[in-house]
Amino acid sequence: MRVPRRRLRLARYKKHRRQIHQRFRQHLFALDRLCAHTSGPLPKVVVLTGAGISAESGIRTFRASDGLWEEHHLEDVATPEGFARDPQRVQDFYNERRRQLQQPEIQPNPAHFALAKLEAALGENFLLITQNIDDLHERAGNHNIIHMHGELLKVRCCDSGQVLNWTGDLTVDDRCYCCQFPAALRPHVVWFGEMPLQMGDIYQALSEADYFVAIGTSGHVYPAAGFVQEAASRGVKTVELNLEPSQTESEFNEKHYGPASEVVPAWVDGLLQKIAYPA
Ligand code: BV8
């Protein structure tokens, strides 16, 4: 006899009640301590991440000497035209990256966890915009995330645009189940020449931010590379955290260079210190 889901959840809640309550209390306590100290409201922080934040987790970047664009022409594997010309080649490119992402050795690094800590402290005052299609931010514990260039563990119906979770390889023979005439599926990623996702939400958040922080991005690809100008034009404090100066480094007020796993936790702790003990 199948146990109703509600009863199951109740049983799980009863079993884990102590941990749930403890976690909730800790969260409240952190927020409370922060609010107790902060004279003003918590700052609004918008973070943009690129491939550099996942480099120390074992995911290759695009423009480094061992970058993806050294081995693949972006015109062939990351444009709608390339997909029309040779869909299996494009599927192979993303299948390889999807398989690698799910390898046990690919895990979030201290930079990812520092951003999860910042979201836990700031709550709705924190937004993470990522150009990355990996799921390391989610695995580190972030929730307020916009994947402006899509997600590797999702595919999309070429006709209806319906998005499905997908962990296996995708082939040109795979078909959707959402259309009368089953349609082809494509990786749920934004290719060059395509409009990035949730651009309205992104510009809204940039217009309300107190801090704009760009992490691990070279500033080559637009519109993401233009966000710092957008933020600076609204008097937002702009911070670059990267291994080396990016193409748009001159636009930033504050810059810290080094591996993300070091500069990001240091910057986050510095900000939380500043919030908790305002000068
Ligand atoms: C669009 C998904 C219309 C797929 C990607 C204006 C001027 C010029 C060109 C354009 C323009 N506007 C539009 C264009 C065209 C084009 C573009 O920008 N072309 C470039 C090449 C010149 N842009 C588009 O086509 C975009 N669409 O414009 O639509 C529109 C109109 C109006 C308003 C809105 C839209 C769509 C672009 C999205 C393409 N899809 N990805 C996939 O992943 O396969 S882009 C892809 O490449 C990534 O998502 C990312 O965006 C980009 C790579 O950049 P980074 O992440 O920065 O990585 P990179 O390797 O370059 O740099 C890594 C950095 O990390 C380095 O600085 C390095 O120093 C640092 N680093 C390395 N290790 C570490 C580290 N930092 C810290 N710690 C470490 N350990």
Side-chain angles (χ1 to χ4, degrees), residues 49-56 60-64 67-69 74 77-78 93-94 97 130-133 148-150 189-196 199 203 215-225 241-247 258-261 263-264:
T49 62
I53 199 171
S54 295
E56 294 162 82
R60 293 160 63 190
T61 66
F62 292 79
R63 282 176 182 73
L68 284 168
W69 296 152
L74 72 84
V77 294
F93 174 64
Y94 288 100
R97 291 168 70 186
T130 186
Q131 299 167 81
N132 301 343
I133 60 177
M148 71 177 292
H149 291 165
V189 297
V190 176
W191 287 324
F192 289 91
E194 294 184 323
M195 175 70 83
M199 288 304 293
Y203 283 125
I215 302 172
T217 186
S218 62
H220 273 91
V221 173
Y222 286 78
L241 307 177
N242 212 43
L243 198 58
E244 64 209 346
S246 75
Q247 188 151 295
S261 62
V263 291
V264 178

Side-chain angles (χ1 to χ4, degrees), residues 40 48 53 56 80 86-87 91 94-95 99 120 129 135 143 172 186 194 208 217 224 227 230-231 242 256 268 271 275:
L48 172 72
I53 199 171
E56 294 162 82
D86 184 349
Q91 302 289 25
Y94 288 100
N95 288 344
R99 261 182 254 121
I129 303 164
D135 65 340
H143 305 282
V172 292
R186 58 164 278 176
E194 294 184 323
E208 297 162 359
T217 186
F227 292 169
E230 182 73 22
N242 212 43
H256 304 279
V268 166
L271 178 67
I275 295 171

Side-chain angles (χ1 to χ4, degrees), residues 77-84 87 90-91 94-95 98 133 148-166 169-176 183-197:
V77 294
T79 64
E81 297 76 19
F83 187 63
V90 173
Q91 302 289 25
Y94 288 100
N95 288 344
R98 191 178 299 111
I133 60 177
M148 71 177 292
H149 291 165
E151 299 174 65
L152 197 46
L153 298 176
K154 293 183 177 173
V155 299
R156 189 160 78 220
C157 167
C158 293
D159 281 12
S160 71
Q162 173 147 341
V163 174
L164 309 168
N165 293 327
W166 198 277
D169 280 4
L170 186 62
T171 73
V172 292
D173 306 321
D174 286 311
R175 286 284 170 277
C176 78
L185 294 168
R186 58 164 278 176
H188 179 52
V189 297
V190 176
W191 287 324
F192 289 91
E194 294 184 323
M195 175 70 83
L197 307 174

